[in-house]
């Protein structure tokens, strides 16, 4: 009788777990269908009502001059033995100084850190990486190669290749997610963690499931799960959607800060228009649901979280909740008037806040590894 009850209880637990898993993926793909329907309606509207819509786009063959600005640093490449991938990065500052590693977000590349490369090269070896699938780094074709393990190993291998065993890690957007997770999995390699407009993964998951407003703001994540169709929607009319992402009044850079110049915008379009790069960037999202529900770990490193007040993609309330997952010193700064791209439209304020955080606690004498 006892064995029968035990087996019945075990069966009930397993069935409950399977139902929860089924419900989780049903919610995700059901929302994907809704987002796809909306995207199709928009596409139909542009084709039927506005026949000027074109499916053509231009692959930029010549990089804008701003990408070769020597004040930003030197263009370098490294081939990681374990993965076999070649990564591109821009480095400045003296070799041997403490490493400050910058991880960009979507749909950016190393260039999003141009203001910080100039600012911190005086006391750090500053390195801004093109993540796998972006810029001049290699673009693995398989979606599975953008899983959490690969992305974290990329960062670890790059730090070690540069000759360091720890770094000051700075991440924005998707780079912020990877920075959070890297600090969780490799705490001994992160001296201090600086994250811009990206909540702790557990905070994002929990908050989104409980707040329909954030679920609506994150609808693009569900749309990006589809194969090929998101690439089409982002590239038609010569990347009109991406141009709008960086320049519109609701989501763009510089409403109360520095505007993105035409040359800087062309730099982004140059990087994203290269064959395979748009798919590589979207593949990060196509793996996101496989690991976000599993992240429930605290961060041991001191953390600075900078947040743009008018972020169009994330609810500000998530920023304060991140405190629950920090075991060390935590500083949160909400930057008035700053957008999601705050290191670009408010670079002076961002740089000042980072300097303040770097000088706290340990002091400059402990910068070195």
């Amino acid at each position: 009788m006892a064995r029968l009850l035990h087996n019945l209880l075990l069966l009930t637990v397993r069935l409950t777990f399977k139902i929860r898993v089924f419900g989780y993926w049903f919610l995700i793909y059901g929302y994907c269908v809704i987002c796809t329907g909306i995207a199709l309606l928009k596409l139909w509207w542009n084709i039927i009502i506005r026949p000027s819509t074109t499916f053509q786009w231009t692959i930029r063959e010549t990089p804008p001059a701003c990408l070769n600005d020597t004040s930003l640093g030197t263009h370098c490449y490294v081939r990681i033995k374990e993965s076999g991938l070649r990564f591109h990065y821009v480095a400045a500052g003296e070799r041997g100084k403490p490493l400050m590693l910058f991880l960009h977000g979507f749909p950016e590349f190393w260039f999003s850190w141009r203001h910080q490369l100039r600012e911190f090269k005086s006391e750090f070896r500053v390195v801004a990486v093109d993540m796998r699938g972006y810029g001049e780094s290699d673009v693995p074709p398989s979606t599975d190669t953008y899983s959490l393990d690969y992305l974290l190993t990329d960062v670890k291998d790059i730090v070690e290749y540069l000759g360091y065993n720890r770094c000051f890690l700075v991440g924005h957007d998707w780079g912020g997610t990877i920075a959070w997770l890297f600090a969780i999995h490799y705490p001994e390699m992160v001296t201090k963690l600086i994250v811009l407009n990206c909540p702790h993964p557990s905070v994002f998951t929990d908050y989104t499931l409980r707040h329909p407003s954030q679920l609506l703001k994150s609808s693009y994540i569900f749309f990006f799960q589809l194969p090929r169709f998101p690439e089409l929607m982002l590239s038609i009319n010569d990347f009109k959607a991406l141009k709008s992402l960086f320049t519109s009044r609701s989501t763009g850079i510089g409403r109360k800060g520095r505007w993105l110049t035409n040359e800087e915008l062309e730099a982004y379009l140059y990087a994203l228009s290269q064959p395979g790069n748009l798919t590589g960037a979207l593949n990060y999202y196509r793996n996101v649901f496989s690991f976000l529900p599993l992240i429930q770990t605290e961060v041991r490193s001191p953390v600075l979280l900078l947040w743009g007040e008018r972020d169009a993609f994330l609810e500000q309330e998530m920023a304060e909740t991140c405190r629950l997952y920090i075991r060390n010193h935590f500083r949160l700064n909400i930057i008035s008037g700053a957008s999601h791209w705050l290191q670009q439209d408010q670079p002076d304020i961002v740089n000042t806040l980072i300097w303040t955080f770097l000088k706290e606690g340990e002091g400059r004498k402990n910068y070195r590894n």
Side-chain angles (χ1 to χ4, degrees), residues 5 26 28 69 93 115 250 257 267 296 336 350:
L5 291 174
F26 180 81
I28 289 174
D69 185 347
H115 302 294
S250 59
Q296 295 290 337
S336 176
V350 167

Tab-separated table of all heavy atoms in Angstrom, residues 5 26 28 69 93 115 250 257 267 296 336 350:
chain	number	residue	atom	x	y	z
A	5	LEU	N	1.062	4.236	-2.838
A	5	LEU	CA	0.911	5.665	-2.558
A	5	LEU	C	2.128	6.455	-3.013
A	5	LEU	O	2.008	7.567	-3.537
A	5	LEU	CB	0.667	5.885	-1.058
A	5	LEU	CG	-0.691	5.402	-0.517
A	5	LEU	CD1	-0.728	5.548	0.995
A	5	LEU	CD2	-1.821	6.193	-1.160
A	26	PHE	N	3.457	26.588	-24.255
A	26	PHE	CA	2.222	26.973	-24.939
A	26	PHE	C	2.041	28.483	-24.875
A	26	PHE	O	1.635	29.125	-25.858
A	26	PHE	CB	1.026	26.266	-24.296
A	26	PHE	CG	-0.293	26.616	-24.935
A	26	PHE	CD1	-0.710	25.998	-26.102
A	26	PHE	CD2	-1.120	27.583	-24.367
A	26	PHE	CE1	-1.923	26.331	-26.697
A	26	PHE	CE2	-2.331	27.929	-24.951
A	26	PHE	CZ	-2.734	27.300	-26.117
A	28	ILE	N	4.438	30.733	-24.559
A	28	ILE	CA	5.461	31.365	-25.395
A	28	ILE	C	5.060	31.327	-26.871
A	28	ILE	O	5.018	32.359	-27.558
A	28	ILE	CB	6.821	30.671	-25.189
A	28	ILE	CG1	7.373	31.010	-23.794
A	28	ILE	CG2	7.816	31.103	-26.275
A	28	ILE	CD1	8.628	30.257	-23.446
A	69	ASP	N	38.326	55.421	-36.558
A	69	ASP	CA	38.831	56.519	-35.737
A	69	ASP	C	39.882	55.977	-34.775
A	69	ASP	O	39.582	55.175	-33.878
A	69	ASP	CB	37.669	57.149	-34.966
A	69	ASP	CG	38.084	58.379	-34.169
A	69	ASP	OD1	39.295	58.612	-33.999
A	69	ASP	OD2	37.187	59.098	-33.696
A	93	GLY	N	44.368	51.807	-24.380
A	93	GLY	CA	44.983	51.809	-23.062
A	93	GLY	C	46.203	50.900	-23.022
A	93	GLY	O	46.366	50.008	-23.857
A	115	HIS	N	32.239	56.129	-26.607
A	115	HIS	CA	32.465	57.183	-25.615
A	115	HIS	C	33.204	56.645	-24.388
A	115	HIS	O	33.994	57.365	-23.770
A	115	HIS	CB	31.135	57.801	-25.171
A	115	HIS	CG	30.342	58.380	-26.303
A	115	HIS	ND1	30.772	59.481	-27.016
A	115	HIS	CD2	29.156	58.011	-26.848
A	115	HIS	CE1	29.873	59.772	-27.946
A	115	HIS	NE2	28.892	58.896	-27.874
A	250	SER	N	10.217	57.692	-29.732
A	250	SER	CA	9.828	56.787	-28.645
A	250	SER	C	10.948	55.862	-28.203
A	250	SER	O	11.080	55.553	-27.016
A	250	SER	CB	8.625	55.946	-29.075
A	250	SER	OG	8.934	55.183	-30.229
A	257	GLY	N	19.657	64.044	-25.091
A	257	GLY	CA	21.106	63.886	-25.013
A	257	GLY	C	21.754	64.110	-26.357
A	257	GLY	O	21.394	65.011	-27.099
A	267	ALA	N	27.115	53.379	-39.546
A	267	ALA	CA	28.019	52.389	-38.958
A	267	ALA	C	27.232	51.170	-38.474
A	267	ALA	O	27.641	50.018	-38.696
A	267	ALA	CB	28.792	53.009	-37.802
A	296	GLN	N	18.420	31.535	-10.771
A	296	GLN	CA	17.935	31.971	-9.468
A	296	GLN	C	19.116	32.206	-8.515
A	296	GLN	O	19.002	31.988	-7.318
A	296	GLN	CB	16.990	30.918	-8.880
A	296	GLN	CG	15.708	30.710	-9.670
A	296	GLN	CD	14.758	31.887	-9.574
A	296	GLN	OE1	14.824	32.667	-8.629
A	296	GLN	NE2	13.886	32.044	-10.561
A	336	SER	N	17.924	60.600	-15.572
A	336	SER	CA	16.772	61.342	-16.074
A	336	SER	C	16.932	61.650	-17.562
A	336	SER	O	17.985	62.124	-18.002
A	336	SER	CB	16.600	62.641	-15.286
A	336	SER	OG	15.555	63.412	-15.799
A	350	VAL	N	26.981	58.959	-17.666
A	350	VAL	CA	27.302	57.541	-17.491
A	350	VAL	C	28.749	57.368	-17.070
A	350	VAL	O	29.062	56.625	-16.124
A	350	VAL	CB	27.016	56.764	-18.790
A	350	VAL	CG1	27.625	55.365	-18.735
A	350	VAL	CG2	25.510	56.660	-19.023
